[in-house]
Amino acid sequence: MWENFPSEIIVIPILFIALPWIILHYMTKWKTAATLTNDDEALLDELYQLARRLEDRVETVERLVAADNPEFRASKVLPAPDQDLAAEIEQLKTKARR
């Protein structure tokens, strides 16, 4: 039965319809998934400002505790300058826009 069936009936639609559709579908998905919207950027900026304020508060509390208790040792996780962190955020933003 299948020996007389022309294979072109299956191969041609696969090559000219199915394959391009699959490629274009996943290219579209890939492009939309990697974007960073203006709302996302605003949220990142807001979270950064909140983190800076919280870090300042923790440093203030540690100074107060250290003043009351000379044996207290403040714990620093990663002392990073503001400029390095801001540059890293900008780098992540530009990478997400691509």
Side-chain angles (χ1 to χ4, degrees):
M1 175 179 156
W2 290 104
E3 57 272 352
N4 293 335
F5 186 75
S7 61
E8 294 85 15
I9 292 176
I10 295 174
V11 173
I12 291 174
I14 287 175
L15 284 176
F16 291 104
I17 297 173
L19 190 59
W21 180 82
I22 290 171
I23 292 170
L24 293 173
H25 171 74
Y26 283 107
M27 283 178 58
T28 305
K29 290 287 186 185
W30 174 68
K31 285 183 180 181
T32 58
T35 59
L36 189 64
T37 64
N38 290 337
D39 291 338
D40 294 336
E41 287 183 21
L43 180 62
L44 280 175
D45 289 337
E46 183 180 335
L47 290 173
Y48 173 72
Q49 295 301 325
L50 178 63
R52 294 297 307 149
R53 288 196 323 260
L54 290 174
E55 184 179 8
D56 291 342
R57 288 179 184 179
V58 167
E59 288 175 1
T60 302
V61 169
E62 287 177 346
R63 277 197 316 269
L64 291 172
V65 171
D68 289 342
N69 185 1
E71 295 175 7
F72 175 75
R73 226 180 269 170
S75 63
K76 281 284 189 184
V77 178
L78 288 175
D82 290 341
Q83 296 166 346
D84 292 341
L85 188 56
E88 184 178 348
I89 290 173
E90 286 300 320
Q91 185 180 25
L92 289 172
K93 284 181 183 179
T94 56
K95 187 184 290 186
R97 288 182 188 146
R98 291 182 198 161

